[in-house]
Amino acid sequence: MMKRLSLAVSRLLLLACIAVSGAAYAADVRPGDTPALPILTTLDGKTIHPASLRGKVIVISYFASYCPFCANEAPKLQKLYSRNTDKLIVIGVNIESKDPQQKEKAQQWVRKYQLTHPVTTDFPALERVLGKRQGLPINYVFDKRGMLRRVDVGEIFDEDFDDIARFAQQD
């Protein structure tokens, strides 16, 4: 009897832990969702308010300094941004939040790839809104009203960048 009660209590505690830990993160967003993006702070200390992004296509791009696929995408993201700054913003997000040298690695990344688009280390805040990442790199593309239109997990190709540029130019 005591063993059954102990097992039942253990199961209840396990379920409670799962429920509590799951509450810290949003369910993964899907195209068609309009999540409330958090306020982000860039590496240079500027604040990005979600309201200031309305009217532009938003590309949120997760990267890590150790990711070769992210390294392949970095110059392409910069090119996408520099050619479409009137209609689109790219926000690079370094995901190495458990690394004490995260900010330094992200700054080296910016210098190495000569990035002019904003870069942040606010990965945990975005993860709470967008859900757990399923790979790397990941690109989230939002329309001008903030609706998620596409999620690309893994390296994307030149034609995908062209598609995003065309999407940004639509009125």
Side-chain angles (χ1 to χ4, degrees), residues 39 60 70 92 99 130 138 140 169:
I39 294 172
I60 295 178
C70 303
D99 186 331
L130 301 177
I138 299 178
Y140 296 89
Q169 294 304 320

Side-chain angles (χ1 to χ4, degrees), residues 133-149:
R133 68 181 180 85
Q134 302 300 310
L136 200 60
I138 299 178
N139 292 290
Y140 296 89
V141 180
F142 297 86
D143 69 16
K144 295 173 184 179
R145 294 180 319 278
M147 180 184 291
L148 182 63
R149 292 301 185 158

Side-chain angles (χ1 to χ4, degrees), residues 29-30 32-37 54 142-143 145-148:
V29 295
R30 296 186 180 351
D33 293 345
T34 306
L37 295 175
R54 295 287 185 213
F142 297 86
D143 69 16
R145 294 180 319 278
M147 180 184 291
L148 182 63

Side-chain angles (χ1 to χ4, degrees), residues 97-144:
S97 57
K98 293 186 175 139
D99 186 331
Q101 295 181 329
Q102 178 189 25
K103 188 170 182 180
E104 292 81 19
K105 288 179 178 182
Q107 288 169 329
Q108 288 173 357
W109 186 268
V110 168
R111 285 190 300 274
K112 180 177 182 177
Y113 296 105
Q114 301 175 357
L115 304 180
T116 60
H117 62 75
V119 175
T120 183
T121 56
D122 288 342
F123 171 65
L126 281 163
E127 187 178 43
R128 284 190 291 275
V129 172
L130 301 177
K132 291 277 192 182
R133 68 181 180 85
Q134 302 300 310
L136 200 60
I138 299 178
N139 292 290
Y140 296 89
V141 180
F142 297 86
D143 69 16
K144 295 173 184 179

Side-chain angles (χ1 to χ4, degrees), residues 7-68:
L7 184 59
V9 169
S10 295
R11 285 182 182 164
L12 256 161
L13 286 173
L14 178 61
L15 288 173
C17 287
I18 291 170
V20 170
S21 67
Y25 295 96
D28 290 335
V29 295
R30 296 186 180 351
D33 293 345
T34 306
L37 295 175
I39 294 172
L40 302 171
T41 303
T42 63
L43 292 176
D44 59 1
K46 294 179 182 167
T47 303
I48 301 173
H49 292 274
S52 70
L53 303 175
R54 295 287 185 213
K56 286 193 173 195
V57 168
I58 305 164
V59 178
I60 295 178
S61 182
Y62 287 179
F63 74 91
S65 62
Y66 56 80
C67 172

